Amino acid sequence: MFMDWPLLSLVIWTPIVGGMLVLATGSDKNAVEAKVLTLVVAIATFLISLPLYTEFNTQLASMQFVENISWIERFKINYHLGVDGISMPLILLTTFTTMLVVLAGWEVIKTRVAQYMAAFLIMEGLMIGVFAALDAAVFYVFWEAMLIPMFIVIGIWGGPRRVYATIKFFLYTFFGSVFMLIALLYLAVKSGSFEILDFHTFKLGIEAQILIFIAFLLAFAVKVPMFPVHTWLPDAHVEAPTGGSVILAAIMLKLGAYGFLRFSLPITPDASGILDWLMISLSLIAVVYIGFVALAQQDMKKLIAYSSISHMGFVTLGFFIIFAIARKDANMSGAVMGIEGGIVQMISHGFISGAMFLCVGVMYDRMHSRQIADYGGVVNTMPVFAAFMVLFSMANAGLPGTSGFVGEFMVILSAFKANFWFAFLAAITLIVGAAYTLWMVKRVLFGDVANDKVAALTDINLREALILSVLAVAVLFFGLYPAPLLEVMEPSVENLLQHVMQSKL
Amino acid sequence: MNFQIPDVMPALPEIFILSMACIILVTDLFLNKTNRGATYMLSQATLVIAVLITVASFSTSPMLTFSDTFVRDGIGDVLKIAIYTATFTVFLYARDYLKDRGLFKGEFYVLGLFAVLGMMILISAHNFLTIYLGLELLSLSLYALVAMHRDSAIASEAAMKYFVLGAIASGMLLYGMSMIYGVTGSLDLATISQQAAQLSDKLVLVFGIVFLLIGIAFKLGAVPFHMWVPDVYHGAPTAVTLFIGSAPKLAAFAMLMRLLIDGLGSVIAQWQDILILLILMSLAVGNIVAIAQVNIKRMLAYSTISHIGFLMLGVVTGTQAGVSASMFYTIAYTLMSLGSFGMIILLSRKGFEAEKLEDFKGLNERSPWYAFLMLVLMFSMAGVPPFLGFWAKLSVLQEVVAVDMVWLAVASVVFSIIGAFYYLRVIKIMYFDKPEATEPVGCSRDMSVLISLNAIFVLMIGLFPDSLLSLCLKVVSAS
């Protein structure tokens, strides 16, 4: 019944308009109204986004829920939306996470509440817009506009070095994106429209492909982030308020990876094939080196930020390993597994990193410190919380049975089909990852009660327990039964691979 | 001798503005301080009626008159309407500011209207002489406006600099024109275009073009002829800066287009490289030096320089689509510039100039609405979607890419990243810093409505830019 509705537009614009309404509630005197309204809008958006899954035809590889109307005739830009099996789960992840983030900020944010809440709602709509856009100009508009609310969120409600962090975040991303803009303009001028799907079939010479690939790489690598342009992420994460960190880690990083799938691979397949050594090396550096960097962190948020970079390395590894597999044998099942593993890892990392940041947020709200050294023996005073945190840490380390295992395992398996050493290096992280996560858990949660502050801690309240248990269910569900996710994305991934394996020269 | 009375109808708006400016000049003599508001109302009414006249006689096909020295076309009409609107906005924003500082005099409005007339003539020029005439009328009115605050040393200094450098630029322009006249034997733009293409020896022509470009670059404020811009923007009373920073840019674009495209379009190879150099230097100097400014008027002056660089990007392609993109950029820039200088005026009070960046500290806590408006304007200037400034940048960049100058597009966006920093800093100051002043922020109701509309337009045209973009393309293609 929902197929005729402009569902995607609704999912994009409900939170944006809702955010405007929340802004209109004004000063902090109406903080409660602002919060309730925000929660209502966030839940409504989540509910509206559900039919995207229930009504989704898993047999089709083409775009579904398509909307296409002319927007700017002068440049042949259309307001063209649609989702396939790759973008649809990410939209659900966005609506789901935003709901939790609104709840997470419920008691913590005390100043300019309406602006805080509105920023997250508007950001939600814009991020969904990025996933749903099928027109490059529409994509770019959402992609850039999204920076504005995040810039404000980190800058106003962030930590002591928030201004440095937020300007660095903005400029880094802006830097990467403008080159993508030029690449998109080039494609649009040559092909005559801004349609992404037309770009996919548009023939390009190898030199143009390589330049365009590099332009895309600058934009997406900053966002993912890949080594060596990852340095904004630890700063932004550490300074951002909990909600900002969660959105950054759970969704914004996925946008970069999504960009590789939607733009780099299908538009410049030959360049991607030629330069895959670069992508694989950068991914492996992220996986191994950043993993060791995480081991050395004293600050919990920084540690999780570095672990995010390391985990995102798996995603890009999975995406770009396909060429090495294709060169070895004609059977594409390994390549399909690589990409699918990458996507599963994206979704799972969304849940796990979000949950980890929320856990740190729970402790930070009580102790106002993120230093590992300030903690110790938290399990004695917060047993329920400790149980959750241990679960999420295990998932972060890739324990079988949690969603963290599925994606990493798939990527490592497909890496074996390409080259033993790739797989070996990637698999090392399972050890390093376990080391830094569990070592942090040991120092923070276990042992004797470290100081009076820890002794005075109170366990999580109902609101916090609700947020964490929802996430815990998600992590376990996709860990034990990832089939629904894989089923949805399978035709789209195969279709993507067909495009990628066809030379454009 | 057969003397024909020329068809004056195409010049009706100009004639109307001229008559009204004279009437207001005389009327103002009979007004005393208490009823000077009449001058203001009369000037505003003039501008509104001028819009109506221009719209009523709007036609996209070009009409030549006064022995082909004057052209009425769609580009001109659109730009003129933009100029009336911008000047209307300037007069409204400036009113209370001028009253508070004892500058609320008839001269402001009369000079303003004469400047408008100068711009209109410049826009409609189809002959070197008409261009010069319009340009001088515009410039002389502006020199006088800058000097209006005669007790202020900094304003007098600015006016002096503006005048001397402006006069040199006019001299250069004239010199260039005379050389081009020498080789082509004509002052008429269309004839020059034909003749220039047929020249076998282009040496003198190139010399002429160089001087012409120097003159244009001076008037536009393109690097390396930009020295006057920051001093004049800073020294002039903010109300005058508001005026200089908005409407004359539309006229300057028209001059650029008339001279280079209409007049010298056939010899684009001779000026393209020079213009590219001017663009790159403007983008570099404008964006980098703006970072070091603490005075927001100076910062916006350098930002103007960088926007001029972007604006010229469309013209440098030499295509119709490129010119229409530049035209869109100019209109967009005028709208943003009006809003930003309007915000400075809004924050200024009697005896207090909100000129320093730190005067914007914590604006979000003092007045979230005005802070939001300024946020829209700053992000738009930085070229972040979905605001108007983004589409302006996108359209010129697209045309540059379309003529295969991808490297130039890449260089421009690199500088725009540097530029983003100082716009972000304004937002940082408004949103992330604690307020130092506690006075309530406010202004008269009409200004509050207009400045809100101004910023909302920047957002709304950003969301639906098609009609303005198509209009620009339509009028440029028709001429």
Side-chain angles (χ1 to χ4, degrees), chain A residues 71-75 112 115 140 144-145 148 151 155-156 162-163 166 170 174-175 178 182 185-186 190 194, chain B residues 321 324 364-365 379 385 387 390-391 395 397-399 401 404 409 417 420 424 428 431-432 463 465-466 469:
Chain A
W71 181 28
I72 302 174
E73 266 188 78
R74 164 82 170 81
F75 297 127
R112 291 185 257 179
Q115 289 184 356
Y140 189 81
E144 287 277 63
I148 300 173
F151 176 74
I156 295 186
R162 61 188 194 277
V163 173
T166 196
F170 193 101
F174 197 58
F175 169 81
V178 291
I182 301 289
L185 285 176
Y186 178 84
K190 296 291 166 192
F194 277 93
Chain B
S324 85
N364 184 37
E365 285 182 24
F379 273 125
F387 305 112
F390 166 70
W391 296 108
S395 52
L397 288 175
Q398 163 136 345
E399 299 313 330
V401 172
D404 284 328
I417 302 166
L424 286 183
K428 172 236 160 197
Y431 277 81
F432 310 157
L463 293 178
D466 190 44
L469 279 165

Side-chain angles (χ1 to χ4, degrees), chain A residues 30 43 46 80 129 139 144 181 228 234 288 298 329 357 379 417 479:
Chain A
N30 304 328
I43 292 175
F46 178 64
H80 190 177
F139 174 87
E144 287 277 63
L181 177 66
V288 179
Q298 302 297 319
D329 74 78
F357 278 115
V379 69
K417 300 210 170 168

Side-chain angles (χ1 to χ4, degrees), chain B residues 2 55 73 81 93 124 140 156 258 264 279 300 316 398 475:
Chain B
N2 190 6
V55 171
D73 58 6
I81 292 169
Y93 286 172
S124 276
L140 285 168
S156 311
R258 295 287 183 217
L264 298 163
I279 290 172
L300 286 176
V316 87
Q398 163 136 345
V475 293

